[in-house]
Amino acid sequence: MREITYRQALNEALSEEMERDQSVFLMGEDVAVYGGAYGVTLNLMQKFGEKRVRDTAISEAAIIGAGLGAAITGMRPVVEIMYIDFMGICLEQIGNQVAKIRYMFGGKTRVPLVIRTEGGAGRTLGAHHSQSLESWFIHVPGLKVIMPATPADAKGLLKSSIREDNPILFIEHKMLYNVKGPVPEGEYLLPIGKADVKRPGKDATVIAYSRMLYSTLEAAKRLAEDGIEVEVIDPRTLLPLDMETIAESVRKTHRAIIVEEDTKTGGTGAEIGMQIMENCFDELDAPVLRIAGADIPMPKSAVLEKLAIPDADRIYREIKSLVM
Amino acid sequence: MTIYTMTIITKNEARHLLKQMMQIRQFEDAIMDLMARNIAEGGSHLYAGEEACAVGAMAAIRKDDYITSTHRGHGHAIAKGGSLPELMAEILGKETGVCKGKGGSLHLADVSKGNLGANGIVGGSIGIATGAGLSIQLRGADQIVLCFFGDGATNTGLFHESLNMAGKWKLPVVFICENNLYGMSVSVERACAVNDLTKKAAPYNMPAECCDGMDVLAVKDTVAKYAALARKGDGPAFIVCNTYRYYGHSRSDPRIYRTKEEEKSWRDRDCIMAFGRKMQEQTVLTEKEVADLEKEVTAELEAAVDFAIKSPDPKPEELYRDVYFEM
Ligand SMILES: Cc1ncc(C[n+]2csc(CCOP(=O)(O)OP(=O)(O)O)c2C)c(N)n1
Ligand SMILES: [Mg+2]
């Protein structure tokens, strides 16, 4: 299969869906002329025109609000918030309006809105451009939260998201845009809410998503050299979580580890770990382990930034000491 | 064609203004070079071209006044009296940096100098400036606040909420919009419902004025006028400085949204060249004095870069320090 980057896979998904459905349009800061801060929407304005690929002012709350208004009145907007760190500005619109409107209206409306954003550390951009804030959103019933790690997952899940009649928060990772991988051409849809076993194993279940999937797979390879076979599961969708796939694996391995880049306290791992306890407590031979980011604002210094988030080395060491 | 007016200015003041503008320009050029050599990592939004705004504005206020800055904040930090080596070290994320390497370019702050910080969030410091103004009013002090932000920030909600609050409570804040025509790639024309940004202050009961942001004395005079009013208790004002950033928005910006001709037309009006020339025409400074100043600044920058590069990285135990204040 041909290999393209995560960025190209996303661009292809947007382009195909815009061709397929006239009601799909894009809107956000620097998405049109510039092609997106990270180049995801490159050339789409040239292809589909300024009406369907719209540069907005720096107005995150209005981007979300207008996206919602358009979504409940016949359009399928895909809006971009340049960095997840800027979500605070539009959190009201997402939390109170986007996520709740269908329920509050007694199920009488649908919200086919995709909010694309990116997060994560790795570029030494400091505390306002490096956060992993997914756990803010898995606390919001009514939203679906997707975090693809591979180019193929990025394409398949973005296409499905655009066709979904529920609001989706689609979180990319700034360090993955140049990652290459095989991606099917044309129609390729992946189910939302379905995890993927990225590496089979029997000694422990490691749940890892977004950029941490790569560090975890690297650690898994080294563990295999030591004779430890871990099963690596990428939930891909964090809300709703595919507990079935995770529980099935834990029942087999009897150990569970969650690797996450976000800050540990109140993080995604807390939720996944608790669900594992609720579902497979009797199966566990060891406490659920979280390997997570430090509970601090992200520092600028490259040295401190590296210490603040898990890397393959730390994942390897911590899993090894749990399994041995 | 620029019409030069005679301005009464002392040699010392001319030297000071010119030197600060040169410091900022060379500081930004040094960062450009460090980025090219992969010594400076991460983003840096450079202020080259806009020097007259920060330098002129800061020349109009007192040392004990406050400022708030933006993601494009190196110039404000230098003009507010920041130390070049400490600022440069911060941009490289070093232990000796003004924020101990934890803030970086996007969060340059120097509270000891009254600089309440750059900000990674566009518009994010406008509320902080308003609150500093409120504190001054509550304390009965006679300080003021200069709140810097870009044209793009005038489209944020916080801008409008803050100007309304400052206008209603007559807070001593001078809001300074550095209109460099673009917010990243989106021009004022494409982003704003009005092109004349002074109109944005109209609903908030404060005077608004435009000035030539490429002319350091014009900026200084305009800011001085409204700073005096704010200090007297007459409330806030809104100033738009028309200016231009020479480099791309950030390192990766190919600048496809503007033309080479437009860039040249602004560089032809370069604030440092224009002011140096004017001071020579008015015999305030000699050609040699200007050239010597340039050399002096080059030596300072070399020392600052050297200091920053040789400085150690923060120690691992710094990771969890400073999250909370501990007695
Ligand atoms: C809330 C928010 N939205 C978007 C961004 C990304 N961003 C950083 S600078 C910038 C443009 C800002 O334009 P302007 O206010 O005119 O300042 P300039 O960069 O021109 O100095 C954008 C969109 C951000 N940092 N914060
Ligand atoms: Mg601007």
Side-chain angles (χ1 to χ4, degrees):
Chain A
M1 202 184 296
R2 56 126 198 201
E3 296 212 338
I4 58 174
T5 63
Y6 186 85
R7 173 188 290 109
Q8 288 166 327
L10 292 162
N11 182 276
E12 193 170 280
L14 291 170
S15 182
E16 286 176 12
E17 291 308 298
M18 288 185 79
E19 245 157 58
R20 192 184 147 267
D21 183 347
Q22 286 298 314
S23 65
V24 177
F25 74 98
L26 313 184
M27 158 166 92
E29 293 158 21
D30 304 282
V31 299
V33 171
Y34 197 87
Y38 284 99
V40 172
T41 52
L42 263 179
N43 291 323
L44 295 179
M45 182 197 79
Q46 287 78 351
K47 218 161 159 179
F48 297 102
E50 278 190 76
K51 197 171 149 197
R52 292 182 70 197
V53 183
R54 309 177 72 92
D55 275 330
T56 67
I58 304 171
S59 307
E60 284 79 10
I63 292 170
I64 300 297
L68 173 59
I72 60 174
T73 52
M75 303 300 291
R76 303 189 85 84
V78 181
V79 301
E80 178 177 310
I81 299 296
M82 196 186 287
Y83 284 76
I84 200 167
D85 312 71
F86 311 157
M87 281 291 178
I89 296 162
C90 48
L91 203 51
E92 187 288 316
Q93 291 289 296
I94 297 177
N96 281 329
Q97 317 299 338
V98 169
K100 296 186 172 61
I101 201 164
R102 176 180 164 79
Y103 187 84
M104 294 186 302
F105 289 6
K108 293 195 177 153
T109 187
R110 293 180 200 180
V111 184
L113 172 67
V114 179
I115 304 166
R116 283 187 44 249
T117 188
E118 57 75 39
R123 293 193 58 220
T124 76
L125 295 173
H128 290 174
H129 289 75
S130 309
Q131 299 173 86
S132 297
L133 298 179
E134 55 273 19
S135 71
W136 287 12
F137 298 95
I138 61 173
H139 197 59
V140 182
L143 276 186
K144 296 191 178 185
V145 181
I146 298 179
M147 290 188 79
T150 68
D153 289 352
K155 176 173 176 180
L157 286 166
L158 185 53
K159 281 173 74 82
S160 298
S161 295
I162 294 171
R163 295 187 199 184
E164 163 96 18
D165 280 341
N166 288 296
I168 306 266
L169 180 65
F170 195 92
I171 309 173
E172 299 152 18
H173 197 296
K174 59 175 69 61
M175 300 306 284
L176 295 182
Y177 285 121
N178 291 326
V179 167
K180 270 190 156 187
V183 178
E185 281 175 70
E187 188 75 349
Y188 178 60
L189 298 169
L190 286 171
I192 292 166
K194 187 90 194 80
D196 190 35
V197 178
K198 298 291 185 188
R199 182 188 172 107
K202 56 175 179 32
D203 298 323
T205 299
V206 190
I207 297 123
Y209 60 92
S210 193
R211 186 186 181 200
M212 285 299 126
L213 175 66
Y214 293 91
S215 314
T216 301
L217 287 172
E218 197 185 317
K221 219 190 277 168
R222 286 172 54 191
L223 287 163
E225 287 161 18
D226 298 348
I228 299 167
E229 289 294 342
V230 296
E231 181 146 291
V232 180
I233 296 181
D234 180 358
R236 303 189 293 193
T237 303
L238 296 181
L239 182 68
L241 189 66
D242 178 4
M243 209 40 223
E244 227 168 89
T245 302
I246 294 171
E248 193 185 314
S249 173
V250 174
R251 276 182 216 113
K252 177 174 76 178
T253 65
H254 309 293
R255 283 183 170 80
I257 296 118
I258 301 128
V259 186
E260 59 192 313
E261 188 178 324
D262 66 339
T263 54
K264 185 173 183 177
T265 302
T268 309
E271 176 58 32
I272 299 177
M274 198 62 211
Q275 288 197 35
I276 292 171
M277 302 271 278
E278 287 167 348
N279 283 279
C280 3
F281 181 74
D282 292 335
E283 299 284 347
L284 288 169
D285 285 349
V288 177
L289 175 68
R290 279 184 285 170
I291 303 175
D295 282 334
I296 56 170
M298 191 58 70
K300 150 72 192 177
S301 147
V303 175
L304 295 185
E305 186 191 57
K306 210 170 151 346
L307 288 172
I309 58 170
D311 59 12
D313 208 48
R314 187 178 140 202
I315 298 167
Y316 165 82
R317 277 184 282 111
E318 293 203 22
I319 295 180
K320 191 158 174 183
S321 61
L322 182 86
V323 176
M324 294 290 274
Chain B
M1 155 106 195
T2 322
I3 299 163
Y4 290 139
T5 46
M6 279 300 276
T7 322
I8 317 255
I9 179 168
T10 64
K11 193 188 255 307
N12 264 348
E13 187 180 11
R15 268 181 58 91
H16 169 76
L17 296 176
L18 191 56
K19 183 171 178 184
Q20 277 202 332
M21 291 197 289
M22 286 173 170
Q23 284 177 326
I24 298 171
R25 178 69 53 87
Q26 292 201 26
F27 190 88
E28 302 300 55
D29 285 345
I31 292 171
M32 237 359 215
D33 178 58
L34 291 169
M35 290 196 293
R37 289 156 59 202
N38 280 325
I39 295 172
E41 297 172 272
S44 253
H45 304 96
L46 303 181
Y47 197 67
E50 307 187 18
E51 293 87 348
C53 301
V55 172
M58 249 51 99
I61 62 167
R62 297 195 320 223
K63 268 204 163 111
D64 67 336
D65 289 331
Y66 296 111
I67 67 158
T68 63
S69 171
T70 70
H71 58 283
R72 198 174 302 289
H74 307 169
H76 307 134
I78 293 170
K80 194 69 172 76
S83 122
L84 296 178
E86 283 182 28
L87 293 173
M88 190 60 84
E90 186 58 36
I91 284 158
L92 296 194
K94 297 298 184 73
E95 181 187 79
T96 54
V98 66
C99 305
K100 303 200 305 195
K102 289 178 172 170
S105 168
L106 279 166
H107 305 283
L108 276 186
D110 196 344
V111 181
S112 69
K113 300 275 181 349
N115 178 356
L116 303 180
N119 211 299
I121 303 299
V122 170
S125 50
I126 306 179
I128 299 171
T130 303
L134 176 59
S135 147
I136 291 168
Q137 194 181 64
L138 290 171
R139 287 185 279 114
D142 73 340
Q143 299 157 288
I144 61 155
V145 187
L146 298 188
C147 173
F148 292 93
F149 48 87
D151 47 283
T154 65
N155 296 319
T156 66
L158 199 52
F159 168 85
H160 291 277
E161 295 177 22
S162 301
L163 263 72
N164 181 62
M165 188 179 273
K168 181 66 215 171
W169 291 347
K170 291 212 165 303
L171 301 179
V173 184
V174 180
F175 295 96
I176 302 179
C177 174
E178 298 174 318
N179 178 8
N180 59 12
L181 303 181
Y182 299 89
M184 204 163 149
S185 70
V186 186
S187 63
V188 168
E189 226 166 86
R190 294 182 65 239
C192 299
V194 292
N195 286 344
D196 174 3
L197 299 182
T198 57
K199 286 191 179 154
K200 296 214 177 191
Y204 305 121
N205 193 26
M206 64 180 82
E209 190 172 328
C210 215
C211 74
D212 181 0
M214 304 304 274
D215 179 345
V216 69
L217 296 177
V219 175
K220 185 187 162 210
D221 290 348
T222 312
V223 174
K225 178 166 115 191
Y226 293 107
L229 291 177
R231 209 179 294 285
K232 216 162 77 180
D234 284 357
F238 182 62
I239 298 172
V240 177
C241 300
N242 292 319
T243 184
Y244 204 73
R245 71 169 145 74
Y246 286 173
Y247 295 123
H249 173 71
S250 57
R251 176 154 64 151
S252 53
D253 174 5
R255 315 206 296 281
I256 47 165
Y257 48 85
R258 61 187 206 189
T259 64
K260 293 275 171 296
E261 292 73 44
E262 181 183 287
E263 293 182 354
K264 181 169 181 307
S265 76
W266 284 90
R267 277 182 185 267
D268 287 346
R269 301 182 50 226
D270 184 76
C271 59
I272 298 174
M273 298 265 284
F275 184 66
R277 209 182 309 128
K278 185 172 173 175
M279 289 302 98
Q280 289 173 54
E281 278 165 15
Q282 298 186 3
T283 66
V284 179
L285 295 174
T286 66
E287 195 181 337
K288 176 157 186 319
E289 282 169 330
V290 172
D292 285 349
L293 210 51
E294 181 96 50
K295 274 191 222 136
E296 200 183 305
V297 171
T298 305
E300 281 178 11
L301 256 299
E302 271 167 19
V305 169
D306 192 57
F307 172 83
I309 290 178
K310 289 191 178 136
S311 288
D313 286 314
K315 297 185 179 51
E317 55 272 25
E318 275 297 317
L319 194 65
Y320 288 96
R321 199 169 288 157
D322 300 323
V323 178
Y324 298 101
F325 169 73
E326 318 239 1
M327 295 289 270

